[in-house]
Amino acid sequence: MSRTLICFGAPYYEADLIYNAAFITCPDNTVKIYKKIHICGYEHQIFSKGRKPLILNTEYGKIGFGICYDTIRYPELIRYYCYKGVNLYVNLSAVTEDAQCDACYLKRVIEYHVLSNGIYIASSNVCGIQNGDKFSGGSCVAGPVRKTEKPIHYYCNEELSQEPGIFTAEIKPEENLRMIFDGNRFSPIPDFDMNLYYSWYQER
């Protein structure tokens, strides 16, 4: 039996609704579907919003998924995944180079999430020109180096090439990277307190 998981993006039709989705084919011949929760701009004219994160329990550890705007503007989603024990987050995106974005835009986003959560991120971004839009590429795998406590390292495509290609990396997502969610050598009390933030949201 193959041990490979394959993730790709495509529209998903369900009950007369269309979702921007990630399809994950699993070694047990099942297909899991993540529906993009945070849709952006013109997507509102086409897609409905997903409502649930997706966590896969695999032999390599827990894996979470997000699509583009989920990753770029909503740090709560990745933090939720990390709180639930996810060590690898997979991002599918189509970030263009325009007045608001440049070649380093997605790079800054990925590095922020790695630095603030201590998580591996495998990010795939469209490259080349489609329908007149230039996409910035920069697909990569990034994460911390646990043994040396280096906060961020690119495990592949460190130069963030904008050329099409296949990038491979070897990581160990089962490693305990829960830097702010468990106690540490200075205190058994976790740095992250979900109840504290929840209480703030309840205030009127």
Side-chain angles (χ1 to χ4, degrees):
M1 178 185 294
S2 171
R3 300 169 60 188
T4 302
L5 290 91
I6 300 173
C7 179
F8 61 92
Y12 174 64
Y13 298 85
E14 181 181 64
D16 296 324
L17 299 175
I18 306 174
Y19 298 93
N20 187 344
F23 292 76
I24 303 95
T25 63
C26 303
D28 62 0
N29 295 323
T30 61
V31 177
K32 307 297 182 185
I33 299 170
Y34 168 76
K35 304 169 189 172
K36 186 177 181 182
I37 296 171
H38 307 99
I39 57 179
C40 178
Y42 72 89
E43 289 183 329
H44 289 271
Q45 299 175 338
I46 305 170
F47 300 110
S48 297
K49 294 181 178 181
R51 302 293 296 174
K52 295 182 179 180
L54 174 65
I55 297 176
L56 292 188
N57 290 294
T58 76
E59 62 179 298
Y60 310 106
K62 294 182 178 181
I63 303 175
F65 299 85
I67 299 175
C68 205
Y69 199 50
D70 286 327
T71 306
I72 292 171
R73 294 290 176 89
Y74 294 91
E76 296 90 346
L77 180 61
I78 293 183
R79 178 130 308 173
Y80 165 81
Y81 281 134
C82 292
Y83 181 76
K84 291 293 186 177
V86 168
N87 281 337
L88 172 61
Y89 175 82
V90 175
N91 171 60
L92 306 180
S93 57
V95 175
T96 60
E97 293 189 20
D98 55 28
Q100 296 181 345
C101 304
D102 58 28
C104 294
Y105 183 69
L106 195 56
K107 176 180 186 288
R108 293 193 294 268
V109 169
I110 291 170
E111 290 186 355
Y112 165 77
H113 289 307
V114 171
L115 288 168
S116 61
N117 293 293
I119 188 173
Y120 291 110
I121 295 181
S123 180
S124 176
N125 190 55
V126 178
C127 64
I129 298 176
Q130 298 181 22
N131 298 322
D133 292 323
K134 183 179 180 181
F135 292 85
S136 56
S139 301
C140 65
V141 176
V145 181
R146 187 61 172 167
K147 290 182 180 180
T148 61
E149 296 189 354
K150 185 177 181 179
I152 184 166
H153 174 72
Y154 285 91
Y155 290 85
C156 69
N157 196 22
E158 185 174 1
E159 300 300 321
L160 300 181
S161 169
Q162 297 184 43
E163 299 299 322
I166 297 175
F167 303 102
T168 61
E170 183 176 341
I171 60 173
K172 296 181 179 179
E174 77 280 1
E175 288 181 345
N176 181 14
L177 303 173
R178 298 172 53 79
M179 298 175 181
I180 65 173
F181 304 98
D182 295 331
N184 53 58
R185 64 181 183 273
F186 302 106
S187 172
I189 301 173
D191 297 331
F192 177 75
D193 184 350
M194 179 185 66
N195 293 323
L196 181 63
Y197 295 96
Y198 180 77
S199 69
W200 295 347
Y201 279 113
Q202 299 307 302
E203 294 177 357
R204 300 295 182 186

